[in-house]
Amino acid sequence: MFGYVKPDKDNLLVKDLNLYKACYCGLCSVIKKKVSFILPFKLSYDFVFLSMLRSTLTEEKSVIKKGRCKYNPIKKANFSICEKETLFTAHSALILTALKLEDDLKDKDLTFLKGLFIRPLYKHFIKKVNSLSISEKYSSLIQEIKEKLDALSSLEEAKSGDIDLLCEIFGDILYYFATFELEGEKKKIAGEIATSIGRYIYLADATDDLERDEKNNSYNPLIIKYGSVESVKENFNELDVAISMYAKRALLAFNLLSSSEYTRILENILSLGLGREFYRIMTKNGDKK
């Protein structure tokens, strides 16, 4: 995932901001200890959201531990860890990162230098994913994610401008992670939140990459759909409406869940954080309104 799902820190209570940081540090520490010492460098805010959401859905309580950052021993930190869900999120980050790197290596436009960087990372991560796939439950999840990434890759290789379909497929990817081993009403709620957030992430990423993709003559579904970067900017209001719809759908579903220690943080992300992040992206790309 790409790091667009994060809170509006200015509107968080100090204790909630501290808990959010502790959740991030907790996930980072579990990844380093039980998954990969390299993966924390690719950890995004989106996985912290997934960890808090999963913990809320399963009603697993976290344990706060005090310690020092594994990558900066001078720094003291609090670590919020849910034994089951934090580890599952760590595995989710591993699976998506490895399969995304595998997809990148298939890219016909992959440069020699980028390939030199990606290949050793991929070999490191995929070895660990293969170990996970021995488990029947993870084997099914890995296959589902791989199929969706393949479908996404096929559309991108075909230079598709169907942004709605592309967003839908990425929403399906997040759906599988969020609903893993859930049943009944909780699975429905998790699915609605996850598909909406996944669609938001893909659209936000495409919008964020507009200038860079135009400069590098790289594929961007929004440029394909609207014809040019300037035309995309002229339709920022349309994209903003879509982003608002995704956020609203996720928030409506989230409001059906029982409260947890992460409720205020998650509500902040869905009601304020998503919109603020997309506004930042639009402003960066020249929309000053």
Side-chain angles (χ1 to χ4, degrees):
M1 292 191 274
F2 306 103
Y4 299 112
V5 183
K6 49 192 176 184
D8 178 356
K9 294 180 181 179
D10 292 341
N11 285 289
L12 269 182
L13 295 175
V14 173
K15 64 178 180 180
D16 289 330
L17 180 57
N18 289 337
L19 179 58
Y20 180 78
K21 292 177 179 178
C23 188
Y24 184 99
C25 291
L27 179 56
C28 179
S29 67
V30 169
I31 289 175
K32 180 183 181 297
K33 184 178 181 180
K34 298 187 177 182
V35 179
S36 164
F37 70 96
I38 298 176
L39 188 57
F41 294 104
K42 296 185 72 65
L43 178 61
S44 79
Y45 296 111
D46 304 346
F47 286 109
V48 183
F49 173 84
L50 177 63
S51 180
M52 293 188 295
L53 176 62
R54 288 277 311 180
S55 298
T56 298
L57 287 159
T58 61
E59 300 179 9
E60 183 181 12
K61 300 296 182 181
S62 67
V63 174
I64 303 291
K65 300 179 180 179
K66 296 182 181 295
R68 295 186 181 273
C69 175
K70 303 297 187 297
Y71 294 94
N72 182 8
I74 298 177
K75 179 183 176 182
K76 293 182 180 180
N78 291 327
F79 303 89
S80 175
I81 299 173
C82 294
E83 183 177 352
K84 181 180 178 181
E85 294 306 335
T86 303
L87 180 59
F88 171 72
T89 304
H91 287 154
S92 299
L94 172 68
I95 292 167
L96 187 56
T97 300
L99 296 182
K100 185 65 174 68
L101 288 175
E102 182 176 81
D103 187 58
D104 290 342
L105 287 172
K106 297 175 184 176
D107 189 349
K108 296 178 182 178
D109 297 325
L110 181 70
T111 64
F112 176 74
L113 288 177
K114 189 175 180 180
L116 284 179
F117 175 73
I118 288 178
R119 286 188 181 89
L121 285 178
Y122 169 70
K123 289 179 181 179
H124 170 77
F125 293 140
I126 201 64
K127 182 178 180 180
K128 295 180 177 297
V129 170
N130 289 337
S131 296
L132 279 181
S133 67
I134 296 174
S135 166
E136 184 177 346
K137 65 177 183 179
Y138 274 117
S139 177
S140 176
L141 175 64
I142 292 167
Q143 185 57 36
E144 288 168 335
I145 300 302
K146 187 172 181 6
E147 288 175 0
K148 289 298 178 181
L149 282 173
D150 286 345
L152 198 64
S153 179
S154 295
L155 285 170
E156 291 175 343
E157 286 180 11
K159 310 295 184 186
S160 172
D162 192 342
I163 188 67
D164 292 334
L165 179 57
L166 290 159
C167 288
E168 179 182 339
I169 293 174
F170 198 81
D172 290 343
I173 291 173
L174 202 58
Y175 170 91
Y176 288 125
F177 287 124
T179 62
F180 183 73
E181 293 192 323
L182 294 177
E183 299 292 342
E185 192 66 18
K186 287 188 177 180
K187 183 173 183 177
K188 291 180 181 179
I189 294 172
E192 181 64 27
I193 296 171
T195 53
S196 297
I197 293 298
R199 292 173 181 181
Y200 163 88
I201 290 172
Y202 195 90
L203 182 55
D205 185 62
T207 308
D208 199 18
D209 288 346
L210 280 173
E211 301 285 357
R212 186 184 66 183
D213 288 341
E214 180 185 45
K215 180 180 178 180
N216 298 331
N217 197 29
S218 300
Y219 166 74
N220 187 300
L222 291 174
I223 298 176
I224 298 294
K225 177 178 180 178
Y226 291 102
S228 69
V229 170
E230 287 306 313
S231 184
V232 176
K233 292 179 180 180
E234 290 172 2
N235 287 277
F236 267 169
N237 285 341
E238 180 180 324
L239 301 182
D240 195 30
V241 168
I243 287 290
S244 297
M245 180 186 70
Y246 296 149
K248 184 175 181 179
R249 286 174 58 180
L251 183 60
L252 287 173
F254 172 75
N255 286 336
L256 298 175
L257 288 175
S258 300
S259 63
S260 76
E261 59 192 319
Y262 299 122
T263 294
R264 287 190 300 270
I265 304 172
L266 291 168
E267 185 176 27
N268 173 285
I269 292 172
L270 296 176
S271 62
L272 299 173
L274 299 184
R276 180 165 182 168
E277 181 63 11
F278 195 69
Y279 177 77
R280 178 196 67 78
I281 292 170
M282 289 193 297
T283 302
K284 183 200 78 170
N285 280 287
D287 185 5
K288 305 297 184 181
K289 298 179 181 180

